[in-house]
Amino acid sequence: MGRCYLRRIPITSGGYDRGGAYWGLGAPLWYAEDSEGEGGVYFRAASREAAKAHILARHPTVTFYR
């Protein structure tokens, strides 16, 4: 993983995303996508910094787009 797009997924008060998928409630939902087209991953983290740390723990050389 070289560069990564990291974005927070908005969740309604009922636990659904904009597309209608149910995620439940809890910590904010994040999506990290590889800019090289190798896929992406959904996960929960308390903040953007925590989300970055989550990805960096698995891919220490990754850089992030803003």
Side-chain angles (χ1 to χ4, degrees):
M1 187 180 269
R3 286 190 157 193
C4 178
Y5 294 100
L6 180 62
R7 62 186 164 110
R8 186 174 174 175
I9 305 298
I11 300 292
T12 68
S13 61
Y16 293 88
D17 68 14
R18 290 182 182 156
Y22 180 73
W23 294 94
L25 301 175
L29 182 65
W30 296 86
Y31 180 67
E33 181 179 16
D34 188 330
S35 66
E36 297 170 4
E38 294 182 18
V41 62
Y42 290 92
F43 61 97
R44 292 192 180 264
S47 66
R48 182 173 177 82
E49 291 307 313
K52 284 182 175 182
H54 176 84
I55 297 299
L56 286 168
R58 288 151 184 81
H59 306 281
T61 60
V62 72
T63 56
F64 296 93
Y65 289 104
R66 186 70 172 143

